Amino acid sequence: MNRVYVCSCFGVTEKQVKEHADAGACTPRQIASACKAGTDCGSCVRRIQAILGRGNCPRRELLDQGIPALTSEPAVPEELSEAA
């Protein structure tokens, strides 16, 4: 299998970054918290930003509201839970 490395310092692949993004990481900082990518020399941060894209994160709206996006249980804003 051909691995495309995003972060050479920590051996993090593009697939791993995408998996963390699918799990809710929306920013390079959240990717760094998950796997250390981008925390050493920093040369991969722009590539991580490109992988994450802008507006592709399903949890970005929660983050904008100040609701944690990387929890084990999905967060539901109060106005949605009251309507249910």
Side-chain angles (χ1 to χ4, degrees):
M1 178 159 83
N2 190 10
R3 292 189 176 135
V4 177
Y5 287 94
V6 173
C7 177
S8 298
C9 296
F10 293 103
V12 179
T13 65
E14 185 173 308
K15 179 182 177 192
Q16 289 172 302
V17 171
K18 288 178 180 179
E19 288 171 353
H20 290 303
D22 289 344
C26 297
T27 65
R29 183 171 288 178
Q30 289 173 340
I31 295 293
S33 294
C35 63
K36 293 187 178 182
T39 62
D40 194 27
C41 78
S43 66
C44 60
V45 174
R46 287 189 181 200
R47 177 71 182 129
I48 292 168
Q49 287 172 326
I51 292 168
L52 294 174
R54 189 69 193 151
N56 292 347
C57 182
R59 298 183 183 178
R60 188 174 306 282
E61 186 176 320
L62 295 176
L63 292 173
D64 290 343
Q65 295 174 16
I67 300 170
L70 294 175
T71 60
S72 58
E73 294 186 27
V76 178
E78 283 185 37
E79 59 271 10
L80 293 179
S81 63
E82 291 172 3

